[in-house]
Amino acid sequence: MKRHLLSAADLSLDDATLILDTALEMAAVSDRTVKKLPTLRGRTVVNLFFEDSTRTKTSFELAAKRLSADVINFAAKGSSVSKGETLKDTALTLEAMGTDAVVIRHSWSGAPVNLARIIRGSVVNAGDGTHEHPTQALLDAYTMRQRLGRIEGLKVTIVGDILHSRVARSNVLLLKTLGADVTLVAPPTLLPTGVDAWPAEVSYDLDSVLPKSDVVMMLRVQRERMGAAYFPSVREYSRRYGLDVDRAAQLQDHTIVMHPGPMVRGMEIASEVADGLRSTIQDQVTNGVAVRMAVLYLLLGGSESAIGSVEQ
Amino acid sequence: MSWLLKDVLLYGEGSPTDVVLRDGVIAEIGTGLSGDETIDGAGCVLLPGLVDLHTHLREPGREDAETVETGTRAAAVGGFTAVHAMANTNPVADTAGVVEQVWRLGQEAGHCDVFPVGAVTVGLEGKEMAELGTMADSAARVRVFSDDGKCVSDASLMRRALEYVKAFDGVIAQHAQEPRLTDGAQMNEGINSSLLGLTGWPAVAEEAIIARDCLLTAHVGGRLHVCHVSTAGSVELIRWAKSKGWDVTAEVTPHHLLLTDDACCGYDPTFKVNPPLRTQADVDAVREGLADGTIDAVATDHAPHALEDKETEWGAAAMGMIGLETALSVVAQTMVEPGRLTWRQVAERMSEAPARIGRLDGHGRPLAVGEPANVVLVDPTARWVVDPAQTTSRSRNTPFAGHELPVRIRATFLRGTPTAVEGKPA
């Protein structure tokens, strides 16, 4: 049986809780002077990034190195991949070199699933197209628990381009498993057809949802969407769906504001809010390393039933 | 050489009868007949040879995926005696030269008759009308015109095409897909696409074009054939157009009769097809449409692809699936066994209607003395498991791998000569 993390839906409540608990232990390591565990010594982790992402790649690289794994960064740009080599051949090459885990970022939804069918090692989805980004959801959950002490029963509002967001998909699935109540807020054009079947509420009206929220997660909205008529202008988007200072003032005292980054200050979130006390944006980055350490540890070295697996 | 088909059931009806094929025609029908060669057909159903309105033979251009030779062998194994070869080859079948080449390759191969479909527009580019009349007058005698794979989306051009082909009794076979609504589309737009993060291909993109084309057809008094109907709304629109008496026909593929977009959930590009697999409600509606005659014909949309074009990420993979060898079995499973169609009606939907739409003379004819001996003998009780490694087609991209399906083709005859016997090319 192969063991992968392809979707947040792969995780049971026990799996997710174990990852978050393990991440807490990993975080303690990061506070030491020598930030390193010998756990994955002699194991090889490949960062296979078909899409640019400095922050996620660095986070995974740091996580693997803190566990003493050998890390290879295999950037698709400038490699044989850009010369027409297929995902299959790349995978077979990595397999032939003997890799224990492949962390894959790809612009096509489902590419990690395709990869997991080919290679024997573990596959970790580091973001595939507009599908999922499960470790982002895990680090978000970790951050919520850290700040608010629990996840079950929290009212989490996710705002922005839900249609194209892998972060939203993974968060909806994981937060459902963890018992939070999710509300998605976006202009109707940026919600997928079929969203009614998701385990989440949907609203077009940010102002009515904000005062009830324990967590507000703002998503980046790409300016390109404007050209495709998803919304008329950045200004109008901002006015209706941006978390500005006035809106932030409507939040409850304990409510936190999250953003997976990279953010567009002044569009979906005002600078004052992004840098304010409610903001967990820096914590999310910090926690990302610990959560990814936990994921790699549990996939490669940890207890057998720690993380859901894909039957072949 | 004459062939005796012994104790067969004509259209699956009546009592066992002997049929003798001689000199290219059905020479005798009766009891106690004899022939040079005998096939014991006890319990088997004799149907007119199947006719496919929608086959991609890939030649010229992608002979690594299929050729006229391999594709027509697969057709014969599947019980077909005639196929319409789609125009999206390379070069495109938009001139008399290309359609005559494909037609001639079909004649030389001899496994089944090949009727080339001519492109509606030059290079399938949707800009200028191709020389439709020249293709109609060529040796290939083209009557069906289609930009299949692409939609003739320009309303004015579609109107002119529908009008123009009236001069030679042609039909425009439309691949109904509004291009702006399907930019980058990967699969049916719905719950599954939302969860998989794949760009949706909404039902309305098919239905909007069908509605428009039905109205255009009525306006100019033309003849429209709707390719691979896949949505419940499309069935309703076609039912409406027919109720008006407009000359609109439609086809459905075997895969749209059996599979839903749940098949896409593992990102296996075998299930990537255009139009995409839809929902169970759509499957139910196209079955009902085929049963009540709203949908006139089953057409395979047999679309062979080389392994490397399918063994890739979903988004990078080619669209389409093969279907010639499984078509009758899937129709039996989805329509005959549940009692939606009789074998007599299968003969209509898979032979007579498509031959009529394509204006073919020697196909889709009655099982009667003196008629061309284009027939297929099927064993309705046999079952088999689809194995991609065993396809006669050069390609392996069947969506039915591992499915146990009913019906085996005992033998296919083209003008009295066997082209496939017991599942193997003759």
Side-chain angles (χ1 to χ4, degrees):
Chain A
M1 190 164 34
K2 291 186 183 179
R3 304 165 75 217
H4 311 291
L5 178 56
L6 305 174
S7 161
D10 293 344
L11 303 170
S12 68
L13 176 58
D14 286 349
D15 294 334
T17 306
L18 179 61
I19 294 172
L20 298 181
D21 291 345
T22 307
L24 200 57
E25 294 169 32
M26 296 299 177
V29 175
S30 303
D31 293 336
R32 297 183 197 162
T33 318
V34 179
K35 301 179 175 58
K36 206 153 186 155
L37 292 174
T39 320
L40 296 185
R41 196 160 55 198
R43 315 296 290 277
T44 306
V45 175
V46 173
N47 273 333
L48 181 60
F49 276 59
F50 290 87
E51 201 181 68
D52 287 333
S53 168
T54 308
R55 73 172 62 206
T56 305
K57 190 169 71 181
T58 308
S59 182
F60 268 108
E61 184 173 356
L62 207 51
K65 283 180 171 167
R66 285 191 179 164
L67 294 168
S68 304
D70 294 322
V71 181
I72 295 162
N73 286 315
F74 196 100
K77 278 190 179 168
S79 76
S80 48
V81 174
S82 54
K83 297 175 192 122
E85 189 177 86
T86 62
L87 176 66
K88 180 184 174 182
D89 287 320
T90 306
L92 292 173
T93 302
L94 297 176
E95 184 77 357
M97 290 175 182
T99 58
D100 298 293
V102 177
V103 176
I104 178 174
R105 159 70 61 101
H106 202 289
S107 55
W108 283 118
S109 299
V113 180
N114 300 133
L115 182 69
R117 287 211 187 89
I118 303 169
I119 68 167
R120 276 190 298 256
S122 293
V123 174
V124 179
N125 181 358
D128 60 328
T130 54
H131 177 223
E132 285 212 43
H133 193 356
T135 60
Q136 177 71 43
L138 284 163
L139 74 88
D140 289 340
Y142 182 95
T143 306
M144 290 176 211
R145 204 169 73 162
Q146 183 181 49
R147 282 291 197 94
L148 300 170
R150 68 192 165 102
I151 293 169
E152 195 178 356
L154 286 182
K155 297 199 179 308
V156 180
T157 300
I158 305 178
V159 188
D161 185 358
I162 309 296
L163 176 60
H164 300 98
S165 175
R166 50 195 174 210
V167 176
R169 280 174 181 75
S170 285
N171 262 295
V172 165
L173 294 169
L174 183 67
L175 289 169
K176 164 72 178 169
T177 302
L178 294 170
D181 299 320
V182 177
T183 302
L184 303 170
V185 180
T189 45
L190 291 177
L191 288 162
T193 301
V195 74
D196 312 352
W198 290 17
E201 298 293 309
V202 171
S203 172
Y204 308 139
D205 179 19
L206 182 58
D207 290 307
S208 67
V209 178
L210 282 182
K212 295 178 276 187
S213 307
D214 300 304
V215 176
V216 179
M217 185 183 297
M218 304 305 296
L219 301 176
R220 180 169 63 129
V221 178
Q222 292 178 315
R223 281 166 191 272
E224 302 91 277
R225 308 289 178 217
M226 210 170 68
Y230 287 101
F231 54 89
S233 68
V234 169
R235 179 180 292 260
E236 176 161 321
Y237 180 86
S238 224
R239 194 179 292 138
R240 293 179 63 85
Y241 296 98
L243 189 59
D244 58 19
V245 175
D246 291 345
R247 281 207 174 98
Q250 304 302 311
L251 297 170
Q252 302 174 69
D253 290 345
H254 69 270
T255 301
I256 59 170
V257 173
M258 310 183 74
H259 196 302
M263 60 187 154
V264 186
R265 288 170 184 262
M267 185 171 177
E268 74 265 9
I269 191 166
S271 268
E272 292 89 335
V273 181
D275 300 330
L277 290 173
R278 299 176 183 283
S279 169
T280 64
I281 296 169
Q282 287 305 309
D283 298 345
Q284 287 169 267
V285 176
T286 307
N287 295 339
V289 178
V291 164
R292 287 168 179 133
M293 285 171 77
V295 167
L296 290 171
Y297 165 74
L298 291 169
L299 281 177
L300 293 181
S303 95
E304 278 299 304
S305 61
I307 288 186
S309 55
V310 173
E311 295 286 343
Q312 291 306 299
Chain B
M1 161 94 68
S2 64
W3 285 80
L4 169 65
L5 311 179
K6 197 168 173 48
D7 294 332
V8 302
L9 299 170
L10 305 185
Y11 304 107
E13 297 169 344
S15 48
T17 307
D18 295 348
V19 174
V20 175
L21 314 178
R22 190 188 303 120
D23 299 328
V25 298
I26 299 175
E28 293 173 82
I29 298 178
T31 50
L33 304 179
S34 59
D36 300 335
E37 297 275 345
T38 301
I39 294 178
D40 178 8
C44 294
V45 174
L46 190 69
L47 300 173
L50 307 183
V51 176
D52 194 12
L53 275 170
H54 197 138
T55 315
H56 295 276
L57 293 177
R58 300 293 185 226
E59 187 175 4
R62 282 308 297 265
E63 291 82 356
D64 57 327
E66 196 81 282
T67 63
V68 173
E69 159 75 21
T70 61
T72 54
R73 272 158 57 108
V77 167
F80 291 87
T81 53
V83 298
H84 288 78
M86 272 301 169
N88 62 338
T89 48
N90 185 10
V92 171
D94 58 1
T95 60
V98 178
V99 294
E100 284 188 348
Q101 179 197 359
V102 171
W103 177 78
R104 195 159 31 247
L105 286 167
Q107 292 293 304
E108 284 165 14
H111 306 299
C112 79
D113 286 341
V114 174
F115 297 98
V117 173
V120 178
T121 66
V122 175
L124 305 176
E125 285 181 354
K127 290 178 185 143
E128 300 160 57
M129 196 188 288
E131 290 187 345
L132 308 183
T134 310
M135 289 189 274
D137 295 340
S138 75
R141 224 195 115 267
V142 177
R143 289 295 176 273
V144 181
F145 298 90
S146 181
D147 275 2
D148 181 63
K150 291 185 178 172
C151 180
V152 182
S153 65
D154 182 307
S156 167
L157 190 54
M158 185 62 182
R159 174 215 165 124
R160 298 296 176 218
L162 284 163
E163 278 179 317
Y164 192 79
V165 300
K166 286 163 67 179
F168 34 88
D169 200 19
V171 60
I172 305 296
Q174 175 72 294
H175 171 117
Q177 176 179 4
E178 212 294 312
R180 291 283 293 143
L181 289 175
T182 50
D183 190 21
Q186 296 292 326
M187 66 173 291
N188 179 51
E189 181 167 298
I191 293 166
N192 284 325
S193 67
S194 81
L195 291 169
L196 293 167
L198 292 171
T199 305
W201 198 130
V204 63
E206 175 172 310
E207 294 155 6
I209 292 292
I210 292 176
R212 182 201 75 177
D213 287 353
C214 287
L215 293 166
L216 286 173
T217 301
H219 184 63
V220 304
R223 195 154 75 90
L224 172 71
H225 177 71
V226 183
C227 294
H228 39 51
V229 166
S230 71
T231 78
S234 299
V235 176
E236 225 176 308
L237 286 163
I238 292 160
R239 195 174 280 134
W240 166 74
K242 286 191 162 180
S243 76
K244 297 280 192 184
W246 302 339
D247 201 346
V248 174
T249 56
E251 70 189 31
V252 62
T253 70
H255 47 272
H256 288 111
L257 286 171
L258 183 58
L259 304 172
T260 69
D261 67 351
D262 288 348
C264 307
C265 290
Y267 294 101
D268 178 351
T270 306
F271 300 101
K272 183 175 175 181
V273 64
N274 192 14
L277 301 176
R278 304 287 187 182
T279 67
Q280 189 60 48
D282 295 306
V283 169
D284 294 343
V286 293
R287 287 177 180 180
E288 196 192 325
L290 184 63
D292 71 18
T294 300
I295 297 173
D296 303 78
V298 174
T300 66
D301 197 2
H302 176 83
H305 285 294
L307 201 54
E308 59 270 24
D309 293 326
K310 280 292 192 181
E311 219 175 37
T312 176
E313 303 91 320
W314 180 282
M319 302 204 201
M321 36 185 67
I322 60 172
L324 285 168
E325 295 163 72
T326 45
L328 188 64
S329 289
V330 173
V331 170
Q333 166 143 327
T334 57
M335 303 300 293
V336 180
E337 293 197 333
R340 293 187 180 93
L341 287 182
T342 62
W343 284 109
R344 183 67 195 77
Q345 291 170 310
V346 170
E348 160 67 17
R349 306 291 194 276
M350 297 188 74
S351 179
E352 295 161 10
R356 205 161 51 232
I357 293 164
R359 297 295 193 252
L360 307 184
D361 295 333
H363 293 273
R365 300 293 305 168
L367 296 174
V369 172
E371 293 289 348
N374 299 324
V375 298
V376 56
L377 185 65
V378 307
D379 179 352
T381 59
R383 299 189 74 85
W384 60 298
V385 176
V386 181
D387 177 1
Q390 300 296 318
T391 58
T392 302
S393 168
R394 181 163 282 181
S395 289
R396 303 276 176 266
N397 54 307
T398 171
F400 306 116
H403 283 246
E404 194 193 277
L405 296 175
V407 174
R408 292 253 52 174
I409 311 272
R410 297 283 312 279
T412 309
F413 290 88
L414 178 64
R415 287 181 283 280
T417 302
T419 51
V421 177
E422 308 297 355
K424 298 286 170 211

